[in-house]
Amino acid sequence: MKIAIVREQAPGENRVAATPETIKKFAALGATLAIEKGAGAGATISDAEYEAAGATVGTRAATVKGADIILGVQGPDPASLKGAAPGAWIAAGLNPFAERARVDAYAAAGFEALAMEFMPRITRAQSMDILSSQSNLAGYKAVLDATAEYGRALPMMMTAAGTISAAKCFVMGVGVAGLQAIATARRLGAQVSATDVRSATKEQIMSLGAKPIFVENVAGIEGEGSGGYATEMSPEYQQAQAELVSAHIAKQDIVITTALIPGRPAPRLISDAQIATMRPGSVIVDLAVESGGNVEGSVAGQVVDRHGVKIVGHKNVAGRLAADASALFARNLFNFLSAFWDKELGKPVLDEEIGDAIRLTQGGKVVSARLLG
């Protein structure tokens, strides 16, 4: 069983799908490991470290030749995988909805593509969930990015020259990224509030010492979709939320938005009119900018100024902490494959619950119900 780890080709992607730690663990299962030269450079992992862990380092062609499993952070170009074993698995973050043409190409090439972001949100799959591990880092980094752009201190400071008031930070969307953003802003001394369409998150917000900001007495407030994701809300709820947010956002120094709906554009949470009510020098970080954005006027890959407010739209926020993000991503992949490793066969064998959830292509066809439905 040969496992290949390829160097990421997407611009600005510094993460890598394996670390020396996971290389050793795969080798202990009996796998042969090959890694493309320079794959770990962006995450400060040298080729020598991979070799010391038991991997063979070489060109892309040599790395994928005869590979039974190919691991990546983002989906590799199908054309660059020639020479891999027939029916080879590709396990990575494949962005299936936005990269459907690439999924079709995997099918045409005979690969079995496994989208790690489709991992079901069930207890036994928590250690395999790349969305959670990467969102956790993104939430942390979002607060640091906001702080860097804000240009003022976050905590209250009492000095001989007078008192500096604590910055007010508002987190919109209390998933994994939002919870980490709340915790990080609190640790830095900000006065933190948060909101979400799922009423069950109130308790989580309060447990972190933040103030929950919620619409009350509006039908459909639960907002709970399958797998713990939020769903789109009714027009009545959206109007009530907009009114509540408008009053609250005008008083904030930092706003961090994290709302995503799988397979659909990110919901619009903040309008240009609402931005105009904020104090000049305030900062908004839009973590959903690559999916269309929660904030009107946010631009992927840029920090823009609207009405004196900086709107931060960095791409691949978790990837800006490449070493830690790679370590967690690599463990997700190892936890996934090792959980299904059949010692007698010397390879992983997927079950229906997880296999059917993440499998995009098989036998030359696209088989994912989420893509065919």
Side-chain angles (χ1 to χ4, degrees):
M1 168 60 58
K2 180 179 178 180
I3 299 176
I5 298 91
V6 294
R7 183 172 184 170
E8 298 300 313
Q9 297 170 307
E13 181 57 83
N14 291 316
R15 292 174 292 177
V16 63
T19 62
E21 173 196 354
T22 59
I23 291 290
K24 291 178 182 178
K25 289 181 177 179
F26 278 125
L29 293 176
T32 299
L33 284 304
I35 188 160
E36 185 176 355
K37 185 177 181 180
T44 65
I45 305 172
S46 68
D47 292 340
E49 290 177 273
Y50 283 120
E51 289 177 325
T56 300
V57 177
T59 63
R60 168 70 67 108
T63 298
V64 301
K65 184 178 181 180
D68 302 289
I69 298 175
I70 299 165
L71 304 181
V73 175
Q74 297 191 42
D77 178 4
S80 72
L81 304 179
K82 293 179 181 178
W89 291 6
I90 300 173
L94 299 180
N95 195 13
F97 296 113
E99 298 289 348
R100 178 57 193 270
R102 187 170 63 193
V103 173
D104 291 339
Y106 288 147
F111 294 122
E112 186 165 330
L114 306 174
M116 292 297 293
E117 62 266 63
F118 278 8
M119 190 67 63
R121 292 248 167 124
I122 55 178
T123 300
R124 69 188 182 98
Q126 286 180 347
S127 66
M128 313 170 193
D129 187 354
I130 63 168
L131 293 182
S132 291
S133 72
Q134 303 303 291
S135 293
N136 193 52
L137 287 171
Y140 164 78
K141 184 62 172 170
V143 176
L144 300 189
D145 288 339
T147 304
E149 297 293 342
Y150 182 48
R152 300 180 182 220
L154 262 63
M156 182 181 75
M157 294 185 182
M158 300 179 69
T159 76
T163 300
I164 297 173
S165 299
K168 295 179 180 179
C169 179
F170 182 38
V171 178
M172 303 182 71
V174 189
V176 174
L179 288 170
Q180 184 57 249
I182 292 169
T184 303
R186 284 278 296 158
R187 284 197 296 267
L188 291 176
Q191 181 181 321
V192 185
S193 57
T195 192
D196 196 286
V197 297
R198 298 164 297 163
S199 61
T201 60
K202 280 186 183 179
E203 207 171 295
Q204 295 172 308
I205 293 168
M206 295 174 68
S207 72
L208 292 172
K211 179 182 179 181
I213 306 295
F214 277 79
V215 172
E216 303 290 351
N217 303 318
V218 177
I221 192 173
E222 294 304 315
E224 189 77 44
S226 61
Y229 292 101
T231 59
E232 281 198 311
M233 304 309 296
S234 66
E236 294 79 13
Y237 183 92
Q238 290 177 354
Q239 181 179 351
Q241 184 189 44
E243 292 172 358
L244 177 67
V245 168
S246 291
H248 189 68
I249 203 173
K251 306 171 186 176
Q252 303 305 304
D253 300 302
I254 292 171
V255 179
I256 296 171
T257 68
T258 72
L260 291 168
I261 300 174
R264 305 188 67 174
R268 182 55 51 81
L269 301 182
I270 300 177
S271 68
D272 185 70
Q274 290 169 325
I275 297 170
T277 68
M278 296 180 71
R279 186 177 68 175
S282 301
V283 177
I284 302 173
V285 178
D286 188 349
L287 284 180
V289 68
E290 292 180 272
S291 297
N294 296 143
V295 183
E296 184 176 357
S298 64
V299 180
Q302 295 183 30
V303 177
V304 298
D305 188 300
R306 293 182 73 89
H307 311 293
V309 177
K310 290 184 179 179
I311 305 175
V312 181
H314 293 312
K315 294 182 179 180
N316 189 12
V317 176
R320 298 175 68 235
L321 297 167
D324 288 331
S326 295
L328 296 181
F329 198 105
R331 288 171 192 157
N332 290 146
L333 287 170
F334 174 78
N335 292 337
F336 163 57
L337 293 174
S338 63
F340 296 102
W341 201 271
D342 187 306
K343 293 183 179 179
E344 292 185 4
L345 296 177
K347 64 179 184 179
V349 179
L350 301 184
D351 65 10
E352 289 186 9
E353 183 176 30
I354 290 180
D356 289 352
I358 68 172
R359 186 181 295 110
L360 304 182
T361 63
Q362 189 177 46
K365 298 179 180 178
V366 174
V367 297
S368 172
R370 294 178 68 176
L371 295 180
L372 296 174

